[in-house]
Amino acid sequence: MSDSAETNAAGKSPARFTIKVIGVGGAGGNAVEHMASAGLEGLAFAAINTDAQALSQLTVGKKMQLGEKTTRGLGAGGDPDVGRAAAEADAAALKKLCAGADIIFIVTGLGGGTGTGASPVLARTAKETGALVLGLATLPFEFEGARRHQQAQQGLEQLKGAADGVICLPNQKILKFVDERATVEETFRVANELLSHGVRGIARMLTRAGLINVDFADLCAVLRGRHAESACAVAEAAGPHRAREVVEKLTASPLLDAGQALAGAGALLVSIEGGPDMSMADVTHVMDHLNRQCDNVQIKFAAAVDASLAGRLSVTVIASRRHARVDAVAADKLETTFLTPAEAARPAARLVPPPPELTAERAGQLLQQHGGGGRTRPRAGKPQQAQLPLEIISKGRFDKSEPTLHQGEDLDYPTYSRRGMALN
Amino acid sequence: MFDSPSIIAGLEIGTSKVCAVVGEENESGALTIIGLGQAPSRGVRKGEIVDFELAAEDIRTAVAEAEQMADVEIRRVYLGVTGSHLRGLNNRGYHPVASVDREITADDVQDVMRNAKAVSLPPDHSVVHTVRQHFLVDGQGGIQNPVGMLGARVEVDVHVIHGVRNRLQNALRTVKGLQIEVEEVCFNGLASAMAVLNSEHKELGALVIDLGAGATEYVVHANGIVKHSGVIAVGGDHISNDLALGLKVSLGRAEQLKIEHGNAIHDDGVRGQTLTLNSPSGLIEKTINLEHLRRIMAARVEETFELIAQALEKEGFSDCLRAGVFLCGGGAHIPRIKELAGEIFDLPVSLATAGSLSGTTAALDQPEFCTGIGLVKFGSMQARGRTRGGRGFFNLRGALGSWLGRR
Ligand SMILES: Nc1nc2c(ncn2[C@@H]2O[C@H](COP(=O)(O)OP(=O)(O)O)[C@@H](O)[C@H]2O)c(=O)[nH]1
Ligand SMILES: Nc1ncnc2c1ncn2[C@@H]1O[C@H](COP(=O)(O)OP(=O)(O)O)[C@@H](O)[C@H]1O
Ligand SMILES: [Mg+2]
Ligand SMILES: [Mg+2]
């Protein structure tokens, strides 16, 4: 990792950190919008997208359209190469967007075109400005299909290679938080809520002058260079049994794989916040239990008192996966000659090759294809952002059941949409 | 109280409800329904169990309720099965008559039946039913009992219903886990048809459609025999799901909208009309376009009927259904469903009830109980066939023994 962030950390008092939260793509924009409206204070929000329509529906302070000239504001069409080319075309503007921030959160939904393609570019650009860069990314639902998954995985690898750390929120896990009858919209709202908690938790952890502080270096030690995505969960409880309850919530959280993420954690960062009534017993209880959950891992922890939390206890946990196995797999895929001992000792994230450079020619080609090239994209009848793209919502409650196939047609998709009936 | 042989219980593990029905047969063979229990079904999707624990709980609840009402203990059930994996096919068995004088014997009949059952199935499939249709002697068909006739060659047509063994066993295992014996299994569609049709309907030709929550079953009878059967894993849940997605409401809300404002037919009468949904606190939550609701729903119901109509057309049954179409299952409650079916099948349509049984009080005479009541009727026929030592209508024993895993 660059030294700059650590220098930053050492050189400034926490309260004066500038934190920017940038949403990339449709999902990222919506999540950031949610955070802004949830009143996360002290953070600067921005949204970037190739899709002008989606951007126009956001109220966040700073909005930036990517690849405007070439995609004509029509979005990336689900193609990460287009998203990436658009971001690269606007690299200068992105740099300006990042300038002056100490920490940049990149919030995105991986799997589509813009978020997947543009986020790694943004992360690289942000790093160049000297900021600490954390990615918060959702991964597609299982039902979104193999292609989106593959795209998301590639995007994740690239983002991990470019950012200091990435925290992952697989959408599939969110299903465990919602009633099975919840609509996709409701499910996404929960996703946005969880992302929001994560950003808030981490931001507070870093900016709050506490009893016990964690700093950039601590956070980086947990997140960085591990070639494994981290998980983040936030839990809150009130009342006389708050310490026990908050631990129960955390160990039951789907985001931590019901405690398994703790057992398998390679590094752990815990931030405990409470009101002036928070006792040493509260803190000890939480730490003891988390300690017991994971074997042999050093836990960094922070504690802070906040008058607004009177009677309550709020705990943020960031756990990065132990990755010996993951590293081996990733290394396998690379040329073995690349793995000299010296190389191997370096943070694993550095073993991920940067995405192959797009040639100017190919970039132009891609942008042409999706934008000006004269071919009108089949967007006309397609629902806009408020309704999610059909391919995402289409099967509702039947997402997980065996498809009802009839002569090659999946009858689980609504009849009206298969028959192309317009509802307006 | 013990369940005497005259007590017969049917169990349908449906997608929307688990339903247990108890019948009592008197000495003269008259069947009376004396108990019915049901529980909302939580562990079933598209007619098949996906959550064994929940399903077991719901079965227990339904059975306990039926036991209480009938004041008997249910030890054994006739179990209904359905699911997209079930298939119906017609097969013909051949057999040369062995005796010198060419008189057909009971042995010949047994042999030809065995040959008819030797259908080549995918290796993971098992036969659920082999329903005898008719015998042919030297090519002459329509014979009910060929024993004693003269001929060189006897043949039999059968309707075979088969399905994936493991998936059939899921239901069986769950029931057995509750210490309830499964007497025999029966395809839900056949059970419903048994409850709904009398012998005249079967003779004239009738199509029974059971519109359930997770699956739609259909069975064709004509000339007194089962001609065709099928399952489409589409049902009321799909209507609700389509509404939830199309109207952007939760599934629970969609189900409610379907029941309160649904219709099988969309016409211009509702153009421009809207519904206002209120939240529990009385605040206006959302406005629903009634026209959209009707169009989304009509499209799904229409499609379901069309798929069945296409299947029947392919088999050439369109002209032999003189008693018409009988609709049962919860979907039969949909307003104007009769009218829609009439348009699509171009046949007379009746909303079915299981009224042909005595003891079916108005409360029980609901279309969604047809399968459960039909299972009791099926059980009574099978039991009678067994005690007489004769051949039952359905030739199940041999086929099932292997995977039913009993006796
Ligand atoms: N949390 C959240 N996730 C979303 C939302 N919309 C889409 N997603 C997820 O994000 C992925 C990328 O979608 P999207 O952001 O629209 O694509 P992009 O605009 O090309 O980046 C999808 O595959 C979904 O899994 C949303 O509103 N909120
Ligand atoms: N009035 C109605 N309008 C529309 N659908 C109805 C109505 N009443 C019941 N249904 C639907 O019928 C289905 C239940 O039918 P049922 O035969 O009990 O299903 P299963 O046997 O699969 O459990 C449910 O999908 C329910 O929504
Ligand atoms: Mg988008
Ligand atoms: Mg049913």
Side-chain angles (χ1 to χ4, degrees):
Chain A
M1 227 264 309
S2 71
D3 294 327
S4 54
E6 278 154 40
T7 321
N8 273 351
K12 284 193 187 182
S13 90
R16 267 186 276 122
F17 286 144
T18 305
I19 302 182
K20 280 192 181 163
V21 185
I22 306 177
V24 186
N30 289 345
V32 164
E33 176 83 4
H34 182 92
M35 294 173 200
S37 64
L40 267 60
E41 313 147 0
L43 308 175
F45 294 102
I48 63 176
N49 203 340
T50 52
D51 185 342
Q53 164 83 28
L55 269 185
S56 73
Q57 289 174 0
L58 304 179
T59 61
V60 296
K62 179 98 188 115
K63 296 190 268 189
M64 192 183 128
Q65 196 178 322
L66 289 180
E68 179 167 14
K69 284 186 218 101
T70 40
T71 65
R72 290 229 231 93
L74 289 174
D79 186 345
D81 283 344
V82 174
R84 183 164 151 235
E88 280 169 356
D90 282 327
L94 286 178
K95 200 160 205 165
K96 224 156 84 196
L97 183 67
C98 297
D102 301 295
I103 306 174
I104 293 180
F105 286 101
I106 298 179
V107 183
T108 192
L110 292 174
T114 306
T116 314
S119 295
V121 178
L122 175 63
R124 254 194 310 278
T125 314
K127 285 289 336 154
E128 284 162 21
T129 67
L132 173 83
V133 180
L134 297 181
L136 265 90
T138 65
L139 298 177
F141 288 103
E142 270 163 33
F143 66 78
E144 292 185 64
R147 201 179 79 104
R148 272 187 179 252
H149 267 268
Q150 219 169 357
Q151 279 186 186
Q153 280 309 326
Q154 274 166 13
L156 178 60
E157 287 309 308
Q158 292 170 5
L159 188 56
K160 281 194 298 198
D164 293 296
V166 178
I167 292 172
C168 271
L169 178 60
N171 282 335
Q172 200 65 24
K173 288 188 187 166
I174 297 166
L175 290 178
K176 302 202 173 129
F177 285 91
V178 298
D179 180 321
E180 70 148 298
R181 289 171 309 185
T183 61
V184 172
E185 262 177 298
E186 286 161 354
T187 310
F188 279 146
R189 210 171 305 135
V190 174
N192 295 341
E193 188 72 30
L194 293 170
L195 289 171
S196 184
H197 285 164
V199 167
R200 190 208 309 253
I202 298 167
R204 283 166 77 117
M205 186 189 296
L206 294 171
T207 55
R208 194 163 293 281
L211 307 169
I212 304 162
N213 283 315
V214 286
D215 56 21
F216 273 150
D218 295 318
L219 184 60
C220 291
V222 173
L223 292 178
R224 188 205 334 157
R226 296 199 165 257
H227 194 78
E229 59 270 17
S230 307
C232 176
V234 182
E236 228 184 56
H241 307 298
R242 60 200 176 199
R244 207 183 62 214
E245 274 171 36
V246 86
V247 168
E248 274 167 12
K249 279 185 187 168
L250 283 171
T251 49
S253 172
L255 295 182
L256 297 177
D257 292 320
Q260 294 213 17
L262 295 174
L268 205 66
L269 198 143
V270 181
S271 163
I272 306 175
E273 283 181 281
D277 54 337
M278 179 169 70
S279 67
M280 203 56 216
D282 286 331
V283 177
T284 327
H285 182 94
V286 171
M287 292 315 295
D288 276 351
H289 277 80
L290 292 179
N291 241 321
R292 229 172 292 155
Q293 296 276 334
C294 29
D295 44 271
N296 223 358
V297 171
Q298 219 211 327
I299 304 184
K300 302 224 185 255
F301 102 98
V305 169
D306 180 339
S308 70
L309 284 171
R312 289 182 294 157
L313 204 58
S314 168
V315 179
T316 304
V317 173
I318 296 172
S320 69
R321 238 197 279 142
R322 216 196 310 277
H323 30 65
R325 199 183 53 80
V326 182
D327 275 356
V329 172
D332 258 2
K333 283 190 271 183
L334 299 171
E335 298 291 317
T336 28
T337 50
F338 194 66
L339 264 178
T340 63
E343 300 269 1
R346 276 159 59 176
R350 293 289 165 258
L351 291 179
V352 179
E357 288 302 317
L358 275 182
T359 61
E361 216 178 329
R362 170 79 177 130
Q365 220 179 340
L366 282 165
L367 290 169
Q368 271 290 309
Q369 210 175 355
H370 285 267
R375 187 170 70 97
T376 30
R377 282 153 46 76
R379 265 238 160 182
K382 231 176 127 189
Q384 284 303 336
Q385 185 59 43
Q387 342 171 4
L388 290 152
L390 259 186
E391 51 174 324
I392 296 181
I393 62 169
S394 41
K395 286 178 69 169
R397 99 174 291 217
F398 301 111
D399 292 337
K400 280 180 286 186
S401 56
E402 184 193 57
T404 301
L405 295 177
H406 177 81
Q407 294 173 356
E409 195 172 2
D410 187 343
L411 300 179
D412 290 338
Y413 289 95
T415 312
Y416 77 87
S417 70
R418 276 183 285 116
R419 291 187 171 181
M421 283 168 49
L423 299 175
N424 45 36
Chain B
M1 195 174 163
F2 298 105
D3 54 350
S4 64
S6 64
I7 294 292
I8 296 156
L11 177 66
E12 180 196 10
I13 309 171
T15 306
S16 82
K17 48 108 188 38
V18 178
C19 173
V21 181
V22 185
E24 187 175 37
E25 202 170 32
N26 67 15
E27 297 78 42
S28 62
L31 194 59
T32 312
I33 300 300
I34 57 168
L36 184 145
Q38 56 171 336
S41 179
R42 296 166 299 167
V44 180
R45 292 281 176 282
K46 297 183 181 176
E48 297 180 68
I49 297 179
V50 294
D51 185 320
F52 295 93
E53 274 170 39
L54 285 179
E57 241 175 73
D58 298 338
I59 294 168
R60 203 181 290 124
T61 310
V63 166
E65 195 179 303
E67 283 178 330
Q68 197 179 7
M69 179 168 164
D71 193 23
V72 296
E73 188 187 337
I74 297 174
R75 298 261 199 81
R76 278 186 266 282
V77 295
Y78 288 87
L79 175 65
V81 290
T82 188
S84 61
H85 61 103
L86 291 178
R87 303 260 181 285
L89 63 85
N90 293 324
N91 192 41
R92 179 170 290 187
Y94 299 81
H95 177 69
V97 178
S99 62
V100 201
D101 58 2
R102 302 280 180 208
E103 186 179 323
I104 297 165
T105 64
D107 284 348
D108 292 323
V109 169
Q110 231 170 39
D111 285 346
V112 74
M113 278 304 293
R114 189 176 332 111
N115 293 343
K117 275 186 260 180
V119 196
S120 72
L121 298 179
D124 58 337
H125 276 236
S126 284
V127 171
V128 181
H129 299 285
T130 313
V131 190
R132 197 180 64 224
Q133 296 177 317
H134 65 142
F135 291 96
L136 302 91
V137 175
D138 292 342
Q140 175 75 46
I143 297 164
Q144 285 308 307
N145 186 358
V147 174
M149 291 178 74
L150 296 181
R153 180 172 55 131
V154 60
E155 293 163 277
V156 65
D157 279 341
V158 293
H159 185 69
V160 177
I161 299 178
H162 60 96
V164 175
R165 192 175 311 118
N166 289 340
R167 289 163 75 167
L168 289 163
Q169 253 161 355
N170 283 342
L172 271 167
R173 216 176 295 133
T174 310
V175 174
K176 286 182 173 178
L178 296 168
Q179 315 308 323
I180 298 172
E181 278 259 6
V182 174
E183 194 74 57
E184 279 168 29
V185 298
C186 178
F187 169 50
N188 283 354
L190 275 183
S192 295
M194 284 194 148
V196 165
L197 302 181
N198 61 30
S199 49
E200 193 181 334
H201 298 142
K202 290 179 189 164
E203 200 58 47
L204 284 171
L207 163 65
V208 175
I209 305 177
D210 186 319
L211 298 152
T216 300
E217 297 110 17
Y218 59 96
V219 171
V220 175
H221 280 78
N223 304 325
I225 58 187
V226 177
K227 289 278 194 186
H228 187 76
S229 64
V231 184
I232 304 173
V234 162
D237 280 354
H238 282 79
I239 302 176
S240 306
N241 193 55
D242 292 3
L243 290 174
L245 295 174
L247 302 175
K248 301 193 183 57
V249 295
S250 70
L251 266 175
R253 194 58 117 166
E255 179 78 21
Q256 185 194 351
L257 285 170
K258 173 181 79 174
I259 306 267
E260 288 174 10
H261 303 282
N263 202 297
I265 293 183
H266 164 67
D267 56 32
D268 286 344
V270 294
R271 175 160 298 162
Q273 287 186 38
T274 56
L275 301 167
T276 306
L277 301 184
N278 292 320
S279 70
S281 58
L283 296 170
I284 293 177
E285 213 178 311
K286 199 173 165 114
T287 306
I288 299 287
N289 183 324
L290 188 58
E291 186 186 343
H292 291 179
L293 187 158
R294 292 282 172 83
R295 283 170 63 184
I296 292 168
M297 180 158 176
R300 177 60 83 171
V301 183
E302 219 175 274
E303 178 185 54
T304 310
F305 282 154
E306 277 164 3
L307 291 172
I308 298 173
Q310 280 162 20
L312 299 192
E313 201 150 309
K314 220 171 64 193
E315 303 281 334
F317 289 129
S318 317
D319 298 330
C320 59
L321 302 171
R322 283 170 294 152
V325 182
F326 293 78
L327 302 178
C328 65
H333 288 296
I334 300 173
R336 295 177 77 184
I337 187 94
K338 206 173 136 175
E339 198 178 324
L340 178 69
E343 274 173 27
I344 291 178
F345 293 102
D346 201 14
L347 288 168
V349 180
S350 322
L351 294 185
T353 59
S356 64
L357 287 181
S358 62
T360 41
T361 58
L364 302 187
D365 209 4
Q366 294 294 322
E368 49 268 63
F369 299 146
C370 286
T371 302
I373 292 171
L375 286 168
V376 171
K377 217 167 169 183
F378 168 78
S380 123
M381 287 182 74
Q382 291 300 108
R384 215 175 305 157
R386 277 202 301 275
T387 50
R388 281 214 215 103
R391 302 176 295 268
F393 180 51
F394 295 92
N395 238 305
L396 283 148
R397 282 304 170 118
L400 280 186
S402 54
W403 58 272
L404 206 59
R406 54 189 267 287
R407 283 183 263 240

